[in-house]
Amino acid sequence: MRQMKREDSPHLALLEAAEAVLAHAYAPYSSFHVGAALEDVDGRIWTGCNVENAAFSAGICAERTALFKAVSEGVTSFVALAIVGRKADATAAAVEFTTPCGVCRQALNEFCDAEMPVVVAGGDGEVREYTLNELLPGAFGPKNLSDTGKRSK
């Protein structure tokens, strides 16, 4: 994990895109908004926000929203992910860093390289950068189910 000031992050545009999509989060139960921005290998940015539901398991996290939007358009290769989270009434990112939940980590593992950077912003202007492998060590994925280690389509 690397820590740096937000303005020094090489993923500033992704962080800004994640911050911008916070306004669309639907979080009436937790009041915790999360925005995610996922960059594909062609430099396109896919955004997503969390969408809660009264039946909690029917909701979806911001990271999977961005990932599934991209995959539904045929994009399956990504180079970086940024995440920003904050309480609905806050003007700044959460003081604590918002990292992907376990389900999102597993979903990302399906399409992203283990060394892909996952950048998270804290409310104090600090940014932490992890690799997907740091967040999901010893991941089980496509390589465990095929002879070639590649996804089958």
Side-chain angles (χ1 to χ4, degrees):
M1 186 264 305
R2 296 183 339 161
Q3 189 156 331
M4 66 199 82
K5 288 289 186 192
R6 180 184 176 111
E7 60 270 11
D8 296 331
S9 172
H11 304 287
L12 187 57
L14 269 184
L15 287 163
E16 290 171 347
E19 179 99 23
V21 77
L22 281 171
H24 302 297
Y26 178 75
Y29 306 104
S30 71
S31 295
F32 194 78
H33 293 200
V34 180
L38 184 62
E39 183 179 355
D40 69 27
V41 294
D42 294 323
R44 291 177 293 187
I45 296 176
W46 301 86
T47 59
C49 62
N50 56 319
V51 180
E52 295 180 350
N53 189 284
F56 293 127
S57 65
I60 189 166
C61 299
E63 300 89 332
R64 281 181 287 142
T65 299
L67 177 65
F68 295 164
K69 280 172 60 176
V71 171
S72 74
E73 297 295 324
V75 178
T76 58
S77 297
F78 305 95
V79 297
L81 171 68
I83 305 163
V84 177
R86 69 171 176 229
K87 291 296 275 179
D89 58 356
T91 57
V95 173
E96 296 298 319
F97 296 89
T98 304
T99 59
C101 74
V103 174
C104 288
R105 293 173 193 206
Q106 185 64 44
L108 290 163
N109 181 63
E110 185 72 17
F111 297 99
C112 305
D113 184 80
E115 296 305 310
M116 183 187 81
V118 177
V119 184
V120 295
D124 57 1
E126 293 293 316
V127 171
R128 289 185 181 169
E129 182 178 307
Y130 300 89
T131 64
L132 185 56
N133 188 56
E134 287 177 304
L135 295 173
L136 190 64
F140 180 90
K143 67 184 177 302
N144 300 102
L145 296 176
S146 73
D147 295 335
T148 64
K150 304 272 186 201
R151 290 184 304 277
S152 60
K153 294 198 177 197

